[in-house]
Structure formats: structure tokens, C-alpha cells
């Protein structure tokens, strides 16, 4: 448990979500209509970054890189949305944040195919294709790849890890999950204990968590659909974050228990009073800010990034060649932070 007391701002945001959900937006949010048809302004790539859309067969990917910086590090971000929602602007902001907290790392976000038009195994196939693109096309070392995802994307990331292990493909350096949906049978205890307090998916079973169109003709207990039922032995380190008010809390707690039994290094953080994917608050609420700081700490460990007291990176890869440099300019980090805070 990360916090014993909920921040005033965190409480306020959760209560506002509860009020909104109990009025006009509850049904379209819970059943996924807003996710299927998002109405958003065009996203403008922040200065200091290069942004490229990669066409990969039946789907496309968004590739974000800091201009003039090559670290050899990359985050494979798998977005949430209940397996029915496409890529959204919040995940583009997440990509910028992931680049910042990995100290100039690249970020690849596949806009994988979603249900009901494309049920399982479409999302997993696309995620695997994105991972292999990083390995084979861009030549990233597997230990320098971290797979990160929230909600359905968190579950998809763990399912991808099981797929890689089963097919004798190189494993990544680590995993980050935020409010991961790992059990599509929805059998966790928190579906009952948090039923009345979850501001997003509580007080109803008429939502995208139930009768998921992603399952299709598959078995919801298939580990590639519900990674909770998989064998995590041999996994690299995993960071798991969730909010204590989530109906999906058990999905994270149960995976953490299985990781422990499998001898996998992991860190479990349950943020008191927080809701599903509260990390979307970025710097707006203390708990979200703390969660991103924790993710940064995890990435420093996975990537073995050494920081001098004044905040300079000791080791870095430049221009595609692995060599040390004397510093990573404070200007670059400040520029990234400025863009994120807009």
C-alpha cells in the first residue's frame, strides 16, 4: 500500500467521477460507446520530439522519439480501452511521459485491432508483431524493451509475455501494469467488495467488463486472454499498480501472488482511495504523480540508469553507438517536463 491517506485532490476527483457516472455519462462510458467513437482534437507532437506513424499490415503504430537522442531504450505501450477502444490522445501524452521517465527512451504504441470486429487473437497478434518489429526492424536489445500497459493493455502486456515465453522468443527487460485487466472471467473478490465504491465500473454489470466481445469463440480462462491463469515463471521484473477502489483490484493482487510463487521479482503498489487508471491524472493529483515517479524509479532499475546527484545520466547511447557521454543536458529534461505540463 503506497498511501495511508487519500489526498484532498484525489478524493475530489474520485467524487467528481462518481457524480458524472451517475448522471448522463454512465451508460456510454461503461458500455464502451465513448471509447469506440472518441471525439478528440488533433494531437500536436510536442517540440523536441519526432513522431512517425508506422503501417504494419492490418494495423498501424505510433513511434515517438526525442529529437537528436538515441538511448537504445524503448517502451512498448499497449493502451487500454477494454479491447474495444482505439488509440486516444491520453496515450500520446502517456508516450511523452514514458519517454521522459526513461530519460530519453523511445516509445512505440500500436493501435492494435479491437473487438467486436476483431476479437481474440487479433490484439495479441498485433502486440506480438509490434514487439518483433522492435527486435527485427529497429534492432533494440530485448533487455532494453519494457512492455507497459493500463487496463486491458496491462493484461495484454502480460499475455504477450506468456506468448513470448511459450514461443521461445526473447523476453523484455520488464513489465509495467496499471490497473491491469487480467481475468476476463471477472471472478475476483473485489468485484463484490468494491462493487459499490468503484466510480467507473461499480453498481452495474452492464459494462464492457462483462460479456466481452474480445473473447469471441475463445475460452476466457485461456492465459492468452486472461493472463492471471498463466505461468509466470521466468518473467523479468514487473511493476504492478492499482487503486484500492477498483472492482479490478483482485486482478492485480492475484497476479502479484502468482508472481511471488513463481519467484519473479515484482513490486506491488495499491494506492488508497484511487480509481481505475488514476495515472491518467498525470500531475493533477498527488497519487498519480507518485505513481509515475514510482514507474520512473522502476525504469531506472531495469535500464540500469545511473544518476549523479545533480540529476545527470552517467551512461547513455548516442547516435546508435553504445558509448558513455559526460552528461544528459538539463535542457532536454526541462524541455520534456515543460511539454508534459502544458
Amino acid at each position: 500500500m503506497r498511501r495511508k491517506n487519500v489526498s484532498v485532490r484525489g478524493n475530489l476527483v474520485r467524487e467528481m467521477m462518481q457524480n458524472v457516472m451517475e448522471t448522463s455519462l454512465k451508460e456510454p462510458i461503461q458500455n464502451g460507446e465513448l471509447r469506440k467513437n472518441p471525439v478528440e482534437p488533433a494531437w500536436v507532437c510536442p517540440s523536441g520530439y519526432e513522431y512517425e506513424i508506422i503501417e504494419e499490415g492490418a494495423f498501424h503504430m505510433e513511434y515517438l522519439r526525442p529529437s537528436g537522442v538515441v538511448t537504445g531504450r524503448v517502451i512498448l505501450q499497449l493502451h487500454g480501452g477494454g479491447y474495444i477502444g482505439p488509440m486516444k490522445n491520453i496515450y500520446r501524452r502517456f508516450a511523452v511521459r514514458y519517454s521522459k521517465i526513461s530519460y530519453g527512451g523511445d516509445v512505440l504504441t500500436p493501435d492494435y485491432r479491437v473487438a467486436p470486429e476483431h476479437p481474440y487473437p487479433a490484439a495479441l497478434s498485433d502486440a506480438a508483431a509490434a514487439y518483433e518489429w522492435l527486435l527485427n526492424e529497429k534492432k533494440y536489445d530485448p533487455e532494453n524493451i519494457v512492455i507497459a500497459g493500463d487496463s486491458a493493455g496491462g493484461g495484454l502486456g502480460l499475455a504477450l509475455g506468456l506468448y513470448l515465453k511459450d514461443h521461445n522468443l526473447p523476453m523484455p527487460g520488464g513489465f509495467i501494469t496499471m490497473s491491469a485487466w487480467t481475468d476476463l472471467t471477472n471472478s475476483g473478490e473485489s468485484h463484490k467488495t468494491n462493487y459499490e465504491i468503484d466510480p467507473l465500473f461499480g453498481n452495474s454489470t452492464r459494462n464492457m467488463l462483462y460479456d466481452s466481445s474480445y473473447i469471441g469463440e475463445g475460452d476466457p480462462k485461456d492465459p492468452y486472454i486472461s493472463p492471471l491463469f498463466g505461468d509466470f515463471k521466468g518473467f523479468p521484473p514487473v511493476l504492478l499498480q492499482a487503486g484500492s477502489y477498483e472492482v479490478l483490484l483482485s486482478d492485480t493482487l492475484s497476479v502479484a501472488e502468482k508472481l511471488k510463487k513463481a519467484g519473479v521479482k515484482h513490486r506491488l503498489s495499491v494506492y488508497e482511495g484511487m480509481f481505475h487508471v488514476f495515472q491518467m491524472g498525470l500531475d493533477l493529483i498527488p497519487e498519480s504523480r507518485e505513481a509515475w515517479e514510482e514507474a520512473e524509479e522502476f525504469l531506472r532499475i531495469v535500464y540500469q540508469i545511473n544518476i549523479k546527484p545533480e540529476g545527470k545520466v552517467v551512461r547513455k547511447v548516442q547516435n546508435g553507438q553504445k558509448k558513455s557521454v559526460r552528461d544528459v543536458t538539463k535542457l532536454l529534461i526541462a524541455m520534456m517536463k515543460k511539454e508534459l505540463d502544458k
Side-chain angles (χ1 to χ4, degrees), residues 170-237:
M171 295 293 280
F175 292 87
I176 296 174
T177 71
M178 299 177 175
S179 300
W181 189 19
T182 68
D183 176 11
L184 272 67
T185 70
N186 299 306
S187 59
E189 180 183 3
S190 56
H191 278 271
K192 296 179 180 179
T193 57
N194 284 349
Y195 181 76
E196 296 182 354
I197 62 174
D198 185 323
L200 190 61
F201 294 119
N203 298 295
S204 176
T205 57
R206 296 181 57 193
N207 57 55
M208 69 177 73
L209 300 181
Y210 294 87
D211 299 318
S212 171
S213 58
Y214 174 65
I215 297 172
E217 300 298 319
D219 179 355
K221 287 189 176 182
D222 185 333
Y224 289 169
I225 296 176
S226 298
L228 172 62
F229 301 104
D231 177 7
F232 296 104
K233 186 175 181 180
F235 262 51

Side-chain angles (χ1 to χ4, degrees), residues 7-212:
S7 69
V8 172
R9 188 170 293 185
N11 266 325
L12 179 61
V13 171
R14 190 188 67 242
E15 290 171 3
M16 289 176 62
M17 288 181 60
Q18 184 77 53
N19 290 337
V20 169
M21 289 297 290
E22 291 302 330
T23 56
S24 60
L25 290 183
K26 182 170 185 175
E27 195 68 19
I29 288 179
Q30 288 196 335
N31 65 24
E33 286 303 315
L34 289 184
R35 293 186 182 274
K36 292 178 184 178
N37 303 294
V39 178
E40 297 185 304
W43 186 72
V44 179
C45 179
S47 61
Y49 289 91
E50 299 172 1
Y51 172 74
E52 184 179 1
I53 296 179
I54 310 293
E55 297 296 335
E56 183 67 17
F59 70 104
H60 73 268
M61 306 181 291
E62 301 188 13
Y63 190 34
L64 183 81
R65 292 164 292 172
S67 300
V69 177
V70 180
T71 65
R73 301 186 287 269
V74 65
I75 306 293
L76 175 59
Q77 179 187 206
L78 300 173
H79 68 77
Y83 294 109
I84 61 175
M87 176 73 166
K88 298 179 68 177
N89 283 344
I90 185 61
Y91 296 111
R92 298 179 178 101
R93 295 187 69 189
F94 272 25
V96 177
R97 178 58 62 98
Y98 276 125
S99 180
K100 173 184 179 295
I101 66 174
S102 59
Y103 292 83
D106 305 329
V107 183
L108 181 70
T109 309
D111 192 7
Y112 55 84
R113 291 170 293 166
V114 296
E117 294 82 5
H118 303 286
Y120 170 81
L124 180 59
S125 297
D126 294 351
Y131 185 81
E132 293 190 60
W133 184 84
L134 290 174
L135 290 176
N136 301 327
E137 295 296 324
K138 305 307 290 184
K139 307 301 181 183
Y140 289 97
D141 293 331
E143 61 269 22
N144 284 336
I145 302 174
V146 169
I147 298 174
D150 72 287
S151 193
L156 180 59
L158 294 175
L160 174 59
L162 295 172
Y163 175 90
L164 297 175
K165 187 180 77 164
D166 292 346
H167 290 80
N168 297 313
L169 292 168
M171 295 293 280
F175 292 87
I176 296 174
T177 71
M178 299 177 175
S179 300
W181 189 19
T182 68
D183 176 11
L184 272 67
T185 70
N186 299 306
S187 59
E189 180 183 3
S190 56
H191 278 271
K192 296 179 180 179
T193 57
N194 284 349
Y195 181 76
E196 296 182 354
I197 62 174
D198 185 323
L200 190 61
F201 294 119
N203 298 295
S204 176
T205 57
R206 296 181 57 193
N207 57 55
M208 69 177 73
L209 300 181
Y210 294 87
D211 299 318
S212 171

Side-chain angles (χ1 to χ4, degrees), residues 238-290:
V238 183
L239 171 64
L240 309 102
Q241 297 177 339
S244 70
Y245 272 47
E246 298 189 54
V247 296
L248 291 182
L249 176 59
S250 293
D251 289 47
T252 290
L253 298 180
S254 297
V255 166
E257 185 62 27
K258 293 200 71 171
L259 291 171
K260 180 179 179 180
K261 291 180 179 178
V264 176
K265 292 182 179 179
H266 67 284
R267 181 170 182 171
L268 168 66
S269 292
V270 179
Y271 287 76
E272 182 60 40
M274 287 297 98
F275 42 87
H276 189 64
V277 197
F278 64 94
Q279 295 87 345
M280 286 187 179
L282 294 173
D283 291 328
L284 295 178
I285 57 177
E287 289 85 355
S288 178
R289 185 167 58 248
E290 183 180 340

Side-chain angles (χ1 to χ4, degrees), residues 291-311:
W292 283 105
E293 290 171 353
E294 181 184 35
E296 179 178 348
E297 178 186 356
F298 177 79
L299 290 174
R300 284 204 305 265
I301 295 171
V302 169
Y303 288 135
Q304 299 181 7
I305 299 173
N306 299 314
I307 307 296
K308 289 183 178 180
E310 62 269 29

